[in-house]
Amino acid sequence: MPGAPGEYVALASRGLVYHLELTGSTVKVLDLSPLPGIREGNDFESFALASKGAKLAAVWADRGDGAERPATVFAAPFSYNKYGDAEFGALQQASFRAPYPTGDVRHVSDISVTGDGRMLVSSASDAGDDGPFDSAVSAAGRVRISESGAVRLTVSKSPAALGQFTGFKVEALECVPGSGDAVLGTDDENKGGSVRTAALCGS
């Protein structure tokens, strides 16, 4: 949570948003709220918070599945009220198709938003527990927050793949603040997993 040290927001795949507080090695659940606009069949793998001053925007996506089902990216103003309940403002959404990989692809496996509002997504191809796996990180669009807290989501119709990772299923992406580096986490099923950095978040 920008501006709230020790507090985090996490999303479960069916659309439940957890507000977490970390103290030492103890994690406490402060709040549990559903996302707005959940539809039957949605499968969420990504959630990010963007900030401008004290204003926050939440960005998340239904991951999509193959050529017939693109991802749907959502964005909305985000805050917690005085009772600790999550509140989402006006909801925006747009479809996204990964430029790479193709075939059995999760179009959005994670999202990260840079300090200047650029939105990066990871996409992953998963043919089963033994692979083969294939992934990419793409420049997917922008998230803008106005002075009043209104949110504008722009998703690229021709996204550019910034990096490709053959043999790996990238399912975690985070741009490191103050750096052009991204931290990438993979879940390669029976082949294990890995964490690496790549220079993908610079302008």
Side-chain angles (χ1 to χ4, degrees):
M1 284 281 293
E7 294 185 25
Y8 299 84
V9 180
L11 175 64
S13 62
R14 297 306 175 197
L16 293 177
V17 179
Y18 291 80
H19 184 190
L20 307 174
E21 181 181 57
L22 174 64
T23 304
S25 59
T26 302
V27 175
K28 179 181 179 181
V29 178
L30 301 177
D31 178 73
L32 175 62
S33 306
L35 289 171
I38 298 174
R39 299 172 183 166
E40 185 175 354
N42 282 161
D43 195 347
F44 302 104
E45 290 192 341
S46 56
F47 187 87
L49 290 176
S51 63
K52 182 175 182 180
K55 305 297 185 181
L56 294 176
V59 188
W60 67 96
D62 167 60
R63 73 186 196 183
D65 185 14
E68 300 303 317
R69 185 178 150 209
T72 303
V73 181
F74 302 86
F78 179 78
S79 62
Y80 281 100
N81 64 26
K82 64 181 181 180
Y83 303 107
D85 301 322
E87 294 187 337
F88 294 86
L91 184 65
Q92 298 194 13
Q93 64 183 71
S95 295
F96 175 82
R97 290 185 183 275
Y100 182 90
T102 58
D104 186 16
V105 59
R106 302 174 184 183
H107 294 277
V108 178
S109 61
D110 203 6
I111 290 176
S112 187
V113 180
T114 65
D116 61 357
R118 289 175 294 118
M119 182 173 64
L120 276 63
V121 306
S122 56
S123 308
S125 178
D126 178 1
D129 288 349
D130 294 310
F133 306 118
D134 208 0
S135 302
V137 173
S138 302
R142 281 193 167 271
V143 178
R144 294 179 173 87
I145 307 172
S146 72
E147 296 295 336
S148 66
V151 173
R152 180 181 177 188
L153 171 68
T154 304
V155 173
S156 175
K157 290 182 170 51
S158 300
L162 304 175
Q164 299 179 9
F165 306 94
T166 302
F168 297 94
K169 185 173 62 162
V170 174
E171 291 198 305
L173 164 66
E174 184 64 28
C175 289
V176 179
S179 165
D181 289 338
V183 177
L184 308 176
T186 75
D187 174 10
D188 305 318
E189 304 297 343
N190 290 338
K191 299 182 179 181
S194 62
V195 176
R196 67 176 69 190
T197 60
L200 301 172
C201 298
S203 57

